Amino acid sequence: MEEVVKMGLEKWVQRQLQADFPNSALEQRLAKYETLRMSNAQIVQTFPKQGQVLKMAIREGLIDKDAVRKDAADKISKQEYQAKLESYMQQKGFKPQRILYQEMVNQKILRATYSENQLQEILTSFWFNHFNVSLTNKNCDLYLTSYERDVIRPNALGKFETLLLATAKSPAMLTYLDNFKSTSSNADLTPAQKQRQERQIQLLERRQEQDNTMQQMQVAEKVRRAKKAQGLNENYAREIMELHTLGVDGGYTQQDVTQAAHIMTGWTINPAIDGYRLDNAPAAINNPKRTEALQKQGFVQEGDFLFAANRHDKGRKEVLGTTFPPQGGYEEGLQLIKLLAHHPSTAKFISTKLATRFVSDTPPRSLIDKMAKTFTEKDGDIREVLMTMVAAPEFWSKEALREKTKSPFELAISSVRSLNAEVHEPRHLATWITKMGEKIYSYQAPTGFPDKGTYWINTGSLLNRMNFGLALASQKIKGISFDLVALNQNREPESAEAALITYSQFLMPERNLEATIKRLTPSLNDPEFGFKVNAAAHKNQAVAQKEPQEQEEQMMLDQPKKRDAEKNTSVANTTFHQKGGNSPMLAQIVGIIIGSPEFQRR
Amino acid sequence: MTTRRGFLKSGALALFAASLGGVPNFLAQATNSRKLMLPYKKNKILVCIFQRGAMDGLMAVTPFTDAHLQLARPSLFMTAAQSSSNPLLDLDGRFGLHPAMKSFEPLFREKRLAIVHGMGSPNPTRSHFDAQDFMETGTPFDKGTASGWLNRAVGLMGHEAATPFQAVSLTSSLPRSFYGDHSAIAISNLQDFGVQMRGNQKAAMAASKNFEDLYDQTSSSLLNKTGKESFEAVKMLSKVGSRNYLPANNAVYPNSPLGNSLKQIAQMIKLDVGLEVAFAESGGWDTHYNQGTANGTFARNVNDLSQSITAFWTDLDAYQDDVNVMTMTEFGRTVHQNGSNGTDHGRGSCMFILGNEVNGGLVHGHVPPLAKENLEDGRDLPVTTDFRSIFSEVAGKHLNIQNEKVLFPNWNGQKIGVIR
């Protein structure tokens, strides 16, 4: 906020749109997460599925098949075999997939909490959700790190067409919506090619019988899957129109979907990164001579993306009244993406979604029209569309104010940010975010999380929001620490009422909180309130002693000075002098503020 | 039965009225809406259990006279022959129930439990993700369907949700089946349903009062309404006491995730909180390695499944007339066992349907002799009954849902008669 005042609002928005604020504090926090710097190929190699590891370990003779069988009946041998499996993984440099998942979720929380380029992070979340892929899908899960890092974030404030194309070529989207296996029903293999393929399969099978190494297993898997029937998959073609560009009422037909699917045949993953994991992976091109030959046939390889010309439908297509002549190859896919990115329905659909994200669950038509106009005139420039939105009077109108309900993620992040909290170990916060109804990166459907209050707020989730406020404020959420009194320049509030007023302003600056304060004041002044809270605090003290390990963790996190202060505070005097200056009474008040209806609104 | 049910209902209501100084708003609404429905329509409850990972239907309910199966499963095949150490429970001379599911046998004999074999999806995918997605959306060829089939079912019930508990999933996050526009909630534990502070009950009570006041006066109608409902619901659960729950008829639930879920569903049913669709999950069915036979991984799984359901049924007692339990799993497993004494991803599996109106005591569906030429892709039990056939019949008849075109778009509506 201070920053905003110093710079002037317009300039701040401009800078945010450039997303070039230095971010060294954040970078430092992210440095320990190795997976964030890994390529798709490295991730695939490091995080094999557990079943795969077991298979390998058995084949390499490290684990006896019968040992696995015994586990069913007898626990000791199960532990033994788990240990064996773990040491095998270590020896091979494999890691369990949950580490990858956890690092992804952790970095998202850290970025949201500490990034100086907030708008870029918000837009990254927005586009990720718009082009949703999911950790629940075990074909695409390993590619999500790169998807967010290389596909979404760099393009979040750029041209829509660039972003759309980047998602279309990303392994995450290609697998999540099945385009990687979509093949023309009339893919034209020459008889010579077919024969070659047949020979190759035979050769591989023979080798497989002789040799049981991991590499051969991968090959065998490839062979098995190569033999499976192939065909057209319309999934991506449908969603690119319905969800990514035109919108469900955007004026396309089933015929358009099928035709677009034909255009996109052959858009797949470079099998060099992980062909063995996937159904119907094409042959890898890693031999330079072969690469040249394939390029002549129309293959295109760009990083993890491959256009496999031999799977592409070479016929004539027509989508939304535009004709794509035969032999269009890779280029016609690019043309289709351009066509969709610049369609008037897309301008309207994207503008509506952005306005829904930033203004209201039901944004005014006039605002959408303005944004869509900019979208069309400025070549789908997302920055320009956002500038139009911010400049519009509708954005600043009274109706738009506090109209949106915070998502669980926004609630959690806004809480730790306004408490100036230190997030040491973000996964505990993630657990609460899940509890409140938003499992990060795990919305299963391609629609992404619905962006509306009625989705987020129900009896179960609302109670969890209140409980989150109480747990956070009383420092019961592990991995997060803060100092409430420090927040108020080390001045203790004089009374519960003063605390309420002061901390409401910290947590919700620039809001009219009269009603909230008025409503709460009588019950805070009720001697019962203080009595109950303090009584509970004593009890808590007892509980704390029972959990030495947890206490120790906390001690290590606290600064020495604070620890001394704590020692000097008598237990009986539980007003505002407690651990880290955070008394139960103060914590209770802050918890109530965080769980209050006003704080649930944006 | 009806009289007893009516008594129980008013009994619970009276208890509230006395302890709360009035009937909670939403409960009053519930009673009103029920009055409109009564006497011909009563609230029915559908309980769905998703077995994630794909259950081996051929081991759960084995066509034990099939020599092809015996050949295909040298170390996994089980027989009903009494001479064997742990024989299958012979259901009809052709199918045998896994011995670890012995608690199902009486229910089957009483004709309340039906089995459908060869059940599955017309989409041949063998990916867990895709197949679960298709089963939960109810659209086996369209992943883009935003809503889940159970959420659509809630919308087709023909009346508004009278309480927040109309559709409840006993999971930590909302399952795909519940995605959609109609209100549905995920509760992983009923005891967490309330304002809580660990080890700090008094402070929690104080905070709860504060929150209630604040939500009561907020200008946001969504927060206001949901807040009201929440606190009423909390009071309701706490007064009747979700802690120290004592199941009826000495029912013993396994101390497993599924057992605990079903126990809580039974509590909600007995509390009459307006539950109509409940969802629970059971895991560990992906038995690629050492599936086991009479003992082992699979046996433990089916034992947990059947014990949990049987305990639930016993516990329900007088409420049984209103409840239907249906299991489902994304696909079955290969007819042949694999190289590691397990089975791989296949096609058809089987499911269990339990209820007083069920056409029970029968193995429905069609399982051909498992010769290679009869198998799907030469390897799997073919899908002979579309899962939508069962889902739509159970939901249609039990929940009285009329519009099947909305429940299962593009489905031909063919039924096989699992409900009487």
Side-chain angles (χ1 to χ4, degrees), chain B residues 110-343:
Chain B
E110 290 163 17
K111 301 194 191 313
R112 302 175 193 224
L113 178 73
I115 294 162
V116 182
H117 223 314
M119 172 285 307
S121 168
N123 188 312
T125 180
R126 288 172 178 84
S127 140
H128 292 297
F129 172 80
D130 287 351
Q132 288 182 22
D133 206 57
F134 290 142
M135 193 167 270
E136 297 199 69
T137 54
T139 54
F141 293 96
D142 187 359
K143 266 192 204 174
T145 312
S147 58
W149 80 276
L150 283 174
N151 194 287
R152 293 197 296 277
V154 169
L156 292 169
M157 225 89 85
H159 55 267
E160 289 293 302
T163 81
F165 299 107
Q166 185 181 24
V168 178
S169 174
L170 273 289
T171 48
S172 65
S173 58
L174 218 54
R176 186 73 168 93
S177 305
F178 271 9
Y179 283 18
D181 292 336
H182 302 285
S183 160
I185 60 175
I187 306 175
S188 49
N189 191 343
L190 270 187
Q191 297 197 7
D192 292 344
F193 202 84
V195 174
Q196 298 202 319
M197 294 175 78
R198 223 189 328 145
N200 222 332
Q201 218 187 333
K202 280 187 172 159
M205 274 165 59
S208 183
K209 182 82 191 67
N210 294 139
F211 283 135
E212 195 174 349
D213 285 349
L214 287 174
Y215 279 85
D216 187 49
Q217 55 99 51
T218 180
S219 62
S220 154
S221 62
L222 172 66
L223 292 168
N224 179 275
K225 177 177 160 280
T226 315
K228 262 203 184 99
E229 278 178 7
S230 303
F231 287 104
E232 284 174 355
V234 168
K235 280 175 200 159
M236 179 168 199
L237 289 182
S238 69
K239 286 293 175 192
V240 184
S242 58
R243 280 157 228 272
N244 309 323
Y245 171 70
L246 204 65
N249 296 328
N250 301 318
V252 180
Y253 289 89
N255 187 17
S256 66
L258 180 64
N260 289 326
S261 296
L262 288 177
K263 181 156 65 176
Q264 299 188 56
I265 292 172
Q267 279 176 266
M268 282 189 281
I269 292 171
K270 293 188 190 179
L271 289 174
D272 220 345
V273 294
L275 184 68
E276 291 179 88
V277 178
F279 187 91
E281 292 179 343
S282 156
W285 298 96
D286 198 15
T287 49
H288 288 283
Y289 299 93
N290 293 317
Q291 186 166 320
T293 50
N295 294 302
T297 311
F298 186 85
R300 276 198 302 275
N301 286 344
V302 283
N303 185 54
D304 177 49
L305 179 79
S306 55
Q307 292 279 5
S308 299
I309 293 175
T310 311
F312 175 70
W313 196 248
T314 310
D315 184 13
L316 280 184
D317 194 26
Y319 295 83
Q320 286 172 356
D321 272 352
D322 303 335
V323 180
N324 197 303
V325 183
M326 174 163 72
T327 67
M328 56 197 70
T329 191
E330 66 263 32
F331 44 72
R333 311 193 71 83
T334 47
V335 170
H336 282 257
Q337 70 180 65
N338 63 19
S340 47
N341 293 308
T343 47

Side-chain angles (χ1 to χ4, degrees), chain A residues 179 189 417 538 541 565 601:
Chain A
N179 204 74
L189 289 179
R417 279 176 71 97
H538 286 290
Q541 208 89 18
R601 303 163 87 173

